[in-house]
Amino acid sequence: QVQLMESGGDSVEAGGSLRLSCAASGYPSIPYCMAWFRQSPGKEREKVATIRVDGRTTYIDSVKGRFTIDHGKPKSNVFLQMNGLKPEDAAVYYCAASPNTCGLSMSPIYWGRGTQVTVSS
């Protein structure tokens, strides 16, 4: 049974940084694609960043230059380094994985339960 476990969410002031972690367990092999999504109250869940098994990454425009997604060791662990946080970044952040889709067309099969990020102005 595949499980994704996020950690690292916290409350920070605008301009601050956080590093989110996601640990995958029970995966039969290295996940083809892992991603971070986020959802804030009243808004749809949006895909923030993806990373393919070969290291190729994608980001939504609003986080480019501020957020970095990268693999840990093993590659079933992923991180999201968030710098220059803004109040609009506040959301529940979810880790997700897919065995066969990535980037803009990624359709997750597995989801974590989320970790809360709060950004005060």
Side-chain angles (χ1 to χ4, degrees), residues 16-77:
S17 297
L18 283 175
R19 185 170 176 82
L20 304 183
S21 300
C22 173
S25 60
Y27 220 94
S29 61
I30 296 174
Y32 173 71
C33 185
M34 298 190 74
W36 289 95
F37 286 70
R38 67 185 179 187
Q39 187 170 22
S40 53
K43 294 186 178 181
E44 292 188 358
R45 189 173 296 188
E46 65 175 348
K47 188 187 311 172
V48 176
T50 68
I51 185 165
R52 204 167 62 180
V53 63
D54 62 359
R56 185 168 187 168
T57 59
T58 63
Y59 300 91
I60 56 172
D61 287 344
S62 61
V63 307
K64 285 180 180 177
R66 300 189 298 122
F67 290 12
T68 302
I69 186 172
D70 60 344
H71 284 123
K73 290 183 179 180
K75 284 189 174 181
S76 53
N77 294 339

Side-chain angles (χ1 to χ4, degrees), residues 11 19 35 39 51 65-66 74 78 88 95-97 100:
S11 180
R19 185 170 176 82
Q39 187 170 22
I51 185 165
R66 300 189 298 122
V78 292
E88 53 264 41
C95 180
N100 51 20

